[in-house]
Amino acid sequence: MQSRFAASAPVPRRLLPCDHGSEEAPGAQRAVFINFVREQRSLGVFSAEGFFKVDPIVKSFKYGQQTINLETGAAVKGAGTYVVAGMDDTSVLASVVKGGSGFRVTFESRRSSLGRKAERTAAVIRRESEIGGVVRRALLASFGDRLADEYEGYSVSVVLLSSNPEIPADLISIIAASAAAAAAGLPILAPFAAARVGLINGQFILNPVRSEIALSSLDLVVTGTAEGTMSAEGRAAEAGDSVIPAAVEFAQKAIAPAAAAIGEFAAAAGAAVPAAPDEAKEAALLGKFVKALTADAVKTEEGADESAAERQRDDALVNIIGLAGQGAVGAEIVAEKANSADPSLSLDPATAGMLSRRALRSIIRHRIESGDREDGRTAQMVAALSAGVGVIPRVHGSAFFTDGGIQALSIVTLDAERGAHRGECFTADVHTADESFDTGRISSFILPVLPQQEGSLTYQISSDIEVIGTDGAVAVPSVTGLSLALMDAGVGVKSAAACVSAGIIGGTVLSDLTADELAAADVTLVESGTKSGVTAVMLSANSASCPPRLLRSARLSARERLPLRAADPHHQHQPG
């Protein structure tokens, strides 16, 4: 049988002169080996298609104070696509592999990435989870409204190979994942990049290093494409109203050329351009899906009010597709129900879940545009709020906070014997029904109001947040309730903190979004702060691009309510 590495014409072969008994110096032996490989390459011995590429594809560009280096080449056939990305000695390996079920994104740091054998402490594992969550959210946002079956079965893995202590790993991880996804031909709407914005002495700084972040009153990570912003997450030291929108626009100006450079890199790697969605076909599929689920839901009698019948059908549909938002089991039930009503659909649970989200968005958007919110509130009306402290015995602090249909119970314990650095002395674990919320995001919301004593706390703060109900933004009751629990425990916070949510659906600005409205919104903004200013922000654009004007509109809605809620977090009132 002919070897896969055999050349098309006879090639003279000779043994590599690398005798173990040779007295040649190691450097001389290496030179002999390199000359041997070059000779064999010139004869075509290593030219088998699909084995490897001799010359890697490299792209470098300046990004703020740092230089980004991207490199890829074909690995062993079948091993998937990989990209090695570096940002001033912080290097990661991002790979995309097809196989398995679902869409998986992981981030890991090798113990040797700091140049020494580092301990895999709880803090390291927590940080890995946070970066993995950031990368996953960026990738999911880049898919836009694609059907899930277009990216189901792919696994994206990011591994930290080496670490410069001054360069955080989150930015280069997002950039590497974007480059790998684009090079692998995943159905992203466009290559994306991420930038960090700091604020020192009133001046924005692009991609500050850790020593600068420690001095900065702002630490904001913005992700976007060449066309617009996808998301923004970070903390601030009671920033003014105009700071966050200005920081996002500052970051977007740097992101646009970086995203374009990643696109050029993917094109040089021979990436296949994902096919544009067939909108007519997808609309027809959505129509069949909705018809299958509502065929027996409501019987319209002759002469009945058509608008009332439509409302009943929509309500029935919302109840059915709501199962798809309750995890894999719920999506499987919806798929089975649709397939049994119309066997020609043959939907898998992932596609049924995506179609359910599309149908829900369509219903919610139609109602909002008609001035009809599902809970009867007007667009700018806040939800019913209630709060209480000291509700759990034998703990240092406890509180509950209710925001409409979602409530959080926060419990705080203190340990005076485990004083730690301010960035490591506080932990917050959020427990939700589906465990979908990234715990690290709560820490970023509350850290800016923790007390500082020469840069450190003298005790350890541990908190658990039990989220009850799912009809709203998890961070809103979690952050506000945790602020109350900290004060109940006697922690000397700088000021009471509160959290609000706002969103835009079809040009309408909404306050205190429900879970369905969060899924349907073009832009969602969750913001925490004190009566003096903003302390943290989470912005996401469901359309994979957020024009600055939409951010400013959502920001104005949050600005009107945040200082009032932070000034009196115990206040209870009805919607109004």
Side-chain angles (χ1 to χ4, degrees):
M1 182 176 179
Q2 187 181 29
S3 169
R4 68 176 292 199
F5 306 118
S8 56
V11 178
R13 308 294 291 272
R14 63 184 177 84
L15 295 176
L16 177 64
C18 192
D19 184 1
H20 288 290
S22 171
E23 295 182 358
E24 293 181 277
Q29 289 196 18
R30 181 174 181 276
V32 170
F33 176 75
I34 292 175
N35 290 333
F36 170 78
V37 172
R38 288 175 176 167
E39 178 185 334
Q40 300 304 297
R41 277 176 49 193
S42 67
L43 296 173
V45 173
F46 295 140
S47 61
E49 184 176 356
F51 183 60
F52 64 83
K53 289 182 180 178
V54 174
D55 298 318
I57 298 163
V58 179
K59 180 77 173 180
S60 297
F61 56 92
K62 195 71 176 175
Y63 200 36
Q65 307 172 63
Q66 292 83 31
T67 298
I68 302 295
N69 298 302
L70 303 175
E71 180 177 330
T72 189
V76 177
K77 189 173 182 179
T81 302
Y82 75 90
V83 170
V84 177
M87 186 175 186
D88 286 7
D89 294 337
T90 292
S91 301
V92 298
L93 169 67
S95 61
V96 178
V97 178
K98 176 71 171 176
S101 60
F103 176 67
R104 298 179 65 249
V105 179
T106 60
F107 174 85
E108 293 181 278
S109 54
R110 296 291 178 250
R111 290 197 300 172
S112 57
S113 61
L114 296 177
R116 51 186 168 81
K117 291 293 182 181
E119 293 286 335
R120 282 189 57 80
T121 61
V124 170
I125 295 172
R126 186 184 297 271
R127 183 57 179 160
E128 288 178 346
S129 176
E130 291 174 9
I131 295 178
V134 169
V135 174
R136 178 181 174 81
R137 290 193 293 274
L139 284 167
L140 288 176
S142 72
F143 293 139
D145 207 23
R146 298 268 192 174
L147 289 176
D149 61 358
E150 296 186 53
Y151 55 85
E152 288 289 319
Y154 282 97
S155 295
V156 179
S157 173
V158 181
V159 177
L160 180 64
L161 302 177
S162 64
S163 178
N164 179 344
E166 279 286 276
I167 307 296
D170 49 2
L171 293 189
I172 193 61
S173 297
I174 295 172
I175 291 171
S178 172
L186 262 64
I188 59 175
L189 298 179
F192 55 90
R196 172 174 269 104
V197 181
L199 181 62
I200 299 178
N201 297 327
Q203 298 294 318
F204 288 129
I205 300 176
L206 180 64
N207 300 336
V209 297
R210 288 192 190 277
S211 57
E212 292 173 321
I213 294 173
L215 302 174
S216 175
S217 60
L218 176 69
D219 182 13
L220 187 70
V221 175
V222 182
T223 305
T225 66
E227 300 299 324
T229 302
M230 292 162 49
S231 66
E233 298 181 20
R235 60 172 181 80
E238 297 181 320
D241 293 333
S242 62
V243 172
I244 300 299
V248 171
E249 293 185 37
F250 173 80
Q252 184 58 39
K253 291 178 181 178
I255 286 172
I262 293 172
E264 295 170 2
F265 170 78
V273 179
D278 188 335
E279 296 183 2
K281 182 179 178 181
E282 293 183 1
L285 178 62
L286 180 60
K288 290 180 64 178
F289 173 73
V290 171
K291 184 177 180 180
L293 291 180
T294 58
D296 300 323
V298 178
K299 299 294 184 181
T300 305
E301 298 180 2
E302 186 176 352
D305 183 4
E306 182 59 33
S307 62
E310 180 183 3
R311 177 77 186 207
Q312 287 182 319
R313 283 194 297 269
D314 287 350
D315 288 341
L317 181 60
V318 169
N319 290 334
I320 296 170
I321 63 181
L323 293 171
Q326 299 178 13
V329 175
E332 188 173 344
I333 293 173
V334 173
E336 183 178 346
K337 182 174 179 63
N339 292 335
S340 62
D342 186 351
S344 66
L345 285 171
S346 299
L347 299 176
D348 59 79
T351 303
M354 179 61 76
L355 289 173
S356 296
R357 288 189 289 275
R358 289 189 180 185
L360 181 62
R361 281 200 294 268
S362 177
I363 293 171
I364 297 300
R365 292 176 70 87
H366 175 71
R367 290 182 176 179
I368 294 299
E369 290 168 1
S370 303
D372 179 19
R373 295 185 75 173
E374 57 185 324
D375 55 7
R377 289 183 291 140
T378 61
Q380 289 297 302
M381 187 179 291
V382 301
L385 306 177
S386 62
V389 297
V391 293
I392 303 295
R394 300 186 64 83
V395 296
H396 292 112
S398 63
F400 76 85
F401 190 86
T402 305
D403 180 86
I406 188 167
Q407 183 182 82
L409 173 64
S410 301
I411 301 172
V412 169
T413 57
L414 311 177
D415 188 344
E417 297 180 0
R418 295 179 61 189
H421 186 271
R422 180 171 178 262
E424 300 173 352
C425 70
F426 172 77
T427 60
D429 292 316
V430 183
H431 309 281
T432 62
D434 57 1
E435 298 295 332
S436 61
F437 189 78
D438 184 355
T439 292
R441 302 167 96 178
I442 290 296
S443 297
S444 67
F445 271 77
I446 211 71
L447 277 174
V449 300
L450 288 181
Q452 281 184 279
Q453 299 173 4
E454 298 180 356
S456 65
L457 280 173
T458 58
Y459 47 84
Q460 175 81 21
I461 304 175
S462 300
S463 60
D464 285 286
I465 302 171
E466 302 290 339
V467 178
I468 306 166
T470 58
D471 196 17
V474 171
V476 172
S478 298
V479 172
T480 312
L482 181 55
S483 173
L484 292 171
L486 287 168
M487 290 187 287
D488 185 48
V491 177
V493 296
K494 297 177 183 177
S495 180
C499 191
V500 296
S501 66
I504 300 176
I505 299 179
T508 302
V509 181
L510 304 175
S511 298
D512 283 347
L513 277 66
T514 65
D516 290 343
E517 290 168 348
L518 286 168
D522 299 308
V523 178
T524 59
L525 175 68
V526 177
E527 195 169 271
S528 74
T530 67
K531 60 184 179 181
S532 300
V534 177
T535 57
V537 62
M538 287 192 306
L539 165 76
S540 62
N542 291 335
S543 60
S545 178
C546 174
R549 62 179 179 80
L550 293 185
L551 171 59
R552 285 193 292 269
S553 297
R555 176 79 265 289
L556 286 172
S557 174
R559 183 183 67 182
E560 294 173 357
R561 294 174 294 118
L562 187 57
L564 296 175
R565 190 173 295 184
D568 185 12
H570 296 78
H571 183 59
Q572 303 185 27
H573 62 81
Q574 296 301 312

